[in-house]
Amino acid sequence: QSALTQPPSASGSPGQSVTISCTGTSSDVGGYNYVSWYQQHPGKAPKLMIYEVTKRPSGVPDRFSGSKSGNTASLTVSGLQAEDEADYYCSSYGGSNNVIFGGGTKLTVL
Amino acid sequence: EVQLVESGGGLVQPGGSLRLSCAASGFTFSSYEMNWVRQAPGKGLEWVSYITGSGSIIYYADSVKGRFTISRDNAKNSLYLQMNSLRAEDTAVYYCARGPGSAVGYWGQGTLVTVSS
């Protein structure tokens, strides 16, 4: 299966909102509510920010929210802060007992 | 506090083998699904393999099927990845990660595997 499609980059000014998309197919993103989003700062391990499309793990600010429509999932970061600058990856259960990641989006806070 | 500490990475020639280990602490290891996820230098994340808490169910990515073997020793709170017939494209940081593959909540710091002659 192919990787999920994410824009290579996104940006916004402090306080603004930015949305990152993650496009798959009906066999992965569109077929299951098992989409997750990870934040990764340079040289660090990824951190789970959203799971099962909309759920936030304990400790993740409510500025981070997830949604899905058809074969496209989205991560919205509201009230952008400098520390939100990082790489963001989506993932989805891909059916056939595998997991697919997106190519990643570099979020820049201007 | 949940801790996952990988070890065993290093430089290996193409066609060679390497065994990665992950020492887990801070939780009841046998109760949790575990995964290996890798990241090639400057690239994105790639799920590699999954194992249930009991070790009875195992899955692999197509890219490593038949070459890699995931296992665990719950008595030693340890997860392993035996990697055989290594290729240049297997060069990556390998992360040990806890949770269902679709929502990995805890990650180790990673261990670098370099496949090169």
Side-chain angles (χ1 to χ4, degrees):
Chain A
Q1 282 173 294
S2 301
L4 306 176
T5 301
Q6 296 182 235
S9 62
S11 63
S13 299
Q16 288 186 334
S17 293
V18 64
T19 296
I20 299 171
S21 63
C22 170
T23 302
T25 69
S26 58
S27 297
D28 38 67
V29 173
Y32 307 93
N33 287 324
Y34 290 121
V35 175
S36 295
W37 289 91
Y38 299 89
Q39 177 191 67
Q40 187 179 34
H41 288 107
K44 301 294 187 181
K47 175 185 177 183
L48 181 65
M49 305 301 284
I50 297 288
Y51 68 102
E52 293 178 10
V53 180
T54 62
K55 299 178 181 178
R56 270 189 317 275
S58 175
V60 172
D62 60 7
R63 303 185 293 104
F64 292 86
S65 62
S67 63
K68 189 183 84 166
S69 178
N71 297 336
T72 298
S74 299
L75 172 73
T76 298
V77 186
S78 305
L80 269 176
Q81 300 182 4
E83 58 262 36
D84 298 334
E85 185 161 296
D87 293 327
Y88 289 83
Y89 294 92
C90 63
S91 77
S92 173
Y93 177 66
S96 302
N97 300 317
N98 69 2
V99 175
I100 308 170
F101 281 93
T105 297
K106 182 177 181 59
L107 175 60
T108 301
V109 180
L110 302 170
Chain B
E1 178 193 4
V2 173
Q3 285 200 326
L4 300 168
V5 180
E6 302 93 338
S7 60
L11 176 63
V12 61
Q13 292 189 338
S17 298
L18 212 55
R19 189 196 196 205
L20 305 183
S21 299
C22 171
S25 61
F27 63 101
T28 304
F29 182 66
S30 60
S31 296
Y32 288 88
E33 307 155 280
M34 298 294 296
N35 300 265
W36 288 99
V37 179
R38 68 184 181 184
Q39 186 170 33
K43 302 296 184 181
L45 300 168
E46 180 187 14
W47 172 80
V48 173
S49 186
Y50 160 94
I51 187 169
T52 53
S54 65
S56 60
I57 298 175
I58 287 172
Y59 302 128
Y60 298 99
D62 287 344
S63 57
V64 306
K65 203 171 294 183
R67 300 187 299 121
F68 289 12
T69 301
I70 190 173
S71 63
R72 64 192 298 159
D73 185 336
N74 288 341
K76 295 183 178 179
N77 290 340
S78 293
L79 178 72
Y80 306 102
L81 186 68
Q82 177 66 44
M83 304 186 296
N84 298 331
S85 302
L86 283 162
R87 308 166 179 166
E89 54 264 37
D90 295 319
T91 294
V93 173
Y94 284 73
Y95 292 102
C96 164
R98 190 190 91 171
S102 58
V104 177
Y106 289 93
W107 300 66
Q109 85 289 350
T111 187
L112 176 63
V113 172
T114 303
V115 184
S116 175
S117 54

